[in-house]
């Protein structure tokens, strides 16, 4: 019985004597990927090797009536100088006469003359020359600023006073000049040689209120800052 069963089971020694076989893997490609013809290209058959049409089928050159009756496509024509758009004309400068208003502009548009329209030309006299004079060396704006910082007494009084017009009028000499600006009285004696307009212009307000003349000449100047160390008092009316 044991020998009968042994005949059905594989023997380990018999399996060791038999040579091992190596499996073989065969890969089959789809028919669409098989390169049957070596002359075929990636674009397909030989019929696709023709060059593209020039000009393009939907181009403006082909739509031209002159090229529809010819078998060969028309080459784009290069425009000559006469076919091109002419350049714009050069602008002409208007001829203007001083004192005579011009009735047109350089663009050929009639000028609008209304009550609120500015004049096209002017006959206003040129501005007057500056009244600045040549100051002596060492009498510039920086020199005046340094003099105010030096601690020198520029007021000539011991304390701030209440000054009437009659008292102000007595200080009208070149060596003793008082003047009032915006209700404040200053001793401008030391400032005379530093004035950019000259001593003569500053002496016009000696001994009186110079607010009006100061405002009409150079109202943008800060007199309080320029003459702060020269303040002697405040202008008050007569009692």
């Amino acid at each position: 019985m044991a020998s009968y069963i042994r005949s059905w089971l594989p023997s380990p020694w018999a399996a060791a004597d038999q040579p091992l076989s190596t499996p073989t893997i065969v890969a089959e490609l789809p028919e669409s990927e098989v390169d049957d013809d070596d002359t075929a290209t990636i674009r397909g058959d030989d019929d696709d090797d023709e060059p593209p049409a020039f000009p393009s089928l939907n181009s403006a050159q082909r739509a031209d009536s002159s090229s529809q009756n010819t078998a060969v496509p028309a080459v784009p024509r290069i425009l000559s100088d006469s076919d091109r758009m002419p350049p714009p004309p050069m602008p002409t400068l208007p001829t203007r006469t001083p004192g005579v208003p011009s009735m047109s502009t350089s663009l050929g548009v009639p000028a609008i003359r209304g009550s609120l329209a500015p004049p096209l030309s002017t006959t206003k006299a040129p501005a007057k020359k500056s009244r600045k004079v040549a100051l002596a060396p060492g009498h510039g704006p920086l020199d005046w600023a340094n003099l105010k910082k030096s601690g020198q007494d520029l007021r000539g009084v011991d304390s701030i006073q209440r000054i009437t017009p009659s008292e102000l009028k007595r200080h009208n000499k070149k060596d003793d000049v008082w003047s009032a600006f915006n209700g404040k009285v200053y001793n401008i004696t030391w400032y005379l040689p530093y004035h950019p307009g000259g001593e003569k212009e500053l002496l016009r307000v000696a001994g009186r209120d110079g607010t009006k003349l100061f405002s009409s000449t150079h109202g943008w100047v800060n007199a309080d800052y320029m003459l702060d160390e020269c303040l002697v008092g405040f202008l008050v009316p007569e009692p």
Side-chain angles (χ1 to χ4, degrees), residues 19 22 36 79 89 97 107 137 145-146 203 215 228:
T22 302
D36 296 336
L79 298 178
T97 304
L107 299 179
N146 293 332
L203 287 174
S215 301
D228 53 352

Side-chain angles (χ1 to χ4, degrees), residues 63-171:
D64 190 3
S65 60
S66 61
S67 63
Q68 291 179 356
N69 299 329
T70 59
V72 181
V75 179
R77 184 171 61 90
I78 299 177
L79 298 178
S80 61
D81 294 340
S82 59
D83 296 335
R84 297 175 180 173
M85 180 181 295
M90 295 295 294
T92 57
L93 297 178
T95 56
R96 302 180 62 181
T97 304
V100 179
S102 176
M103 299 305 297
S104 63
T105 61
S106 59
L107 299 179
V109 180
I112 301 175
R113 300 304 305 275
S115 59
L116 299 179
L120 299 179
S121 62
T122 177
T123 57
K124 183 179 179 181
K128 296 182 180 180
K129 296 183 179 180
S130 175
R131 296 182 179 180
K132 290 184 179 181
V133 297
L135 300 177
H139 290 78
L142 294 179
D143 300 313
W144 173 249
N146 293 332
L147 179 61
K148 291 196 305 177
K149 297 177 182 178
S150 63
Q152 184 175 348
D153 182 17
L154 304 180
R155 293 187 174 91
V157 295
D158 297 334
S159 60
I160 302 300
Q161 305 174 7
R162 296 166 59 91
I163 302 172
T164 60
S166 58
E167 175 67 18
L168 176 63
K169 190 175 182 179
R170 286 194 289 267
H171 300 272

Side-chain angles (χ1 to χ4, degrees), residues 26-35:
V26 179
E28 296 183 0
L29 297 176
E31 295 181 359
S32 60
E33 298 183 3
V34 177
D35 189 5

Side-chain angles (χ1 to χ4, degrees), residues 51-59 61-62 71-76:
F54 180 80
S56 178
L57 298 178
N58 298 328
S59 62
Q61 290 82 358
R62 282 188 177 272
V72 181
V75 179

Side-chain angles (χ1 to χ4, degrees), residues 2 19 43 49 55 68 70 74 83 85-86 90-91 117-119 133 144-145 177 184-185 196 199-200 213 215 221 223:
R43 294 176 297 179
D49 292 337
Q68 291 179 356
T70 59
D83 296 335
M85 180 181 295
M90 295 295 294
V133 297
W144 173 249
V177 184
K184 298 179 180 179
V185 181
E199 297 182 4
K200 184 178 180 179
L213 182 60
S215 301
V221 178

